[in-house]
């Protein structure tokens, strides 16, 4: 299954939903949309929803780390919802430079609640 993503804004939170197998081009496209929304809206928090995403390769975690470093001054909090330990590890690597980032295991509602607290 090839990957896809959908980006939406709810209040001050940009929500990026990822599904299937992601590749470098899809990650770049989603990053571009997120960055545009950070610039054009009042949103300053990000939720990365990876519950339906296949386990990403390490190179995508490193790609997201570079993206996160670029936007870190525009974001006050971010969270990743993961389906398992392998994705959690890669999320931890991807967002190691974030000011306030938290990984949530299979708990989308808790991630939203934490971002809005």
């Amino acid at each position: 299954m090839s990957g896809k993503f959908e980006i939406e804004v709810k209040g001050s939170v940009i929500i990026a939903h990822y599904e299937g197998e992601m590749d470098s081009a899809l990650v770049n496209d989603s990053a571009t949309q997120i960055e545009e929304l950070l610039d054009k809206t009042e949103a300053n928090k990000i939720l990365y929803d990876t519950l339906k995403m296949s386990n990403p390769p390490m190179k995508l975690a490193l790609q997201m780390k570079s993206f996160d470093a670029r936007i870190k001054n525009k974001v006050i909090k971010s969270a990743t919802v993961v389906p398992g330990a392998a994705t959690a590890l890669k999320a931890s690597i991807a967002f190691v430079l974030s000011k306030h980032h938290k990984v949530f295991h299979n708990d989308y509602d808790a991630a939203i609640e934490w971002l809005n607290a």
Side-chain angles (χ1 to χ4, degrees):
M1 174 184 184
S2 62
K4 64 181 181 177
F5 68 89
E6 181 181 319
I7 311 289
E8 63 179 315
V9 178
K10 288 189 177 178
S12 63
V13 181
I14 296 169
I15 303 171
H17 302 278
Y18 298 94
E19 187 175 332
E21 190 172 323
M22 300 302 291
D23 62 24
S24 185
L26 287 169
V27 169
N28 277 338
D29 290 347
S30 70
T32 298
Q33 286 187 26
I34 291 168
E35 199 162 8
E36 287 174 1
L37 289 169
L38 285 169
D39 291 338
K40 294 178 181 177
T41 70
E42 297 295 317
N44 57 7
K45 302 170 194 163
I46 303 173
L47 174 62
Y48 300 95
D49 173 9
T50 66
L51 289 173
K52 295 180 180 178
M53 185 176 81
S54 301
N55 184 21
M58 185 59 72
K59 70 178 185 175
L60 294 185
L62 297 174
Q63 186 177 344
M64 285 302 289
K65 181 178 176 184
S66 175
F67 166 67
D68 187 59
R70 217 172 51 238
I71 64 167
K72 70 179 181 180
N73 293 327
K74 299 176 184 179
V75 178
I76 62 169
K77 273 182 164 179
S78 62
T80 305
V81 182
V82 299
T87 306
L89 172 65
K90 296 192 180 118
S92 295
I93 291 167
F95 300 104
V96 70
L97 301 175
S98 292
K99 294 178 185 177
H100 300 287
H101 183 269
K102 192 169 178 180
V103 175
F104 292 84
H105 293 263
N106 292 305
D107 199 341
Y108 183 92
D109 293 337
I112 291 288
E113 186 176 317
W114 180 77
L115 285 168
N116 286 318

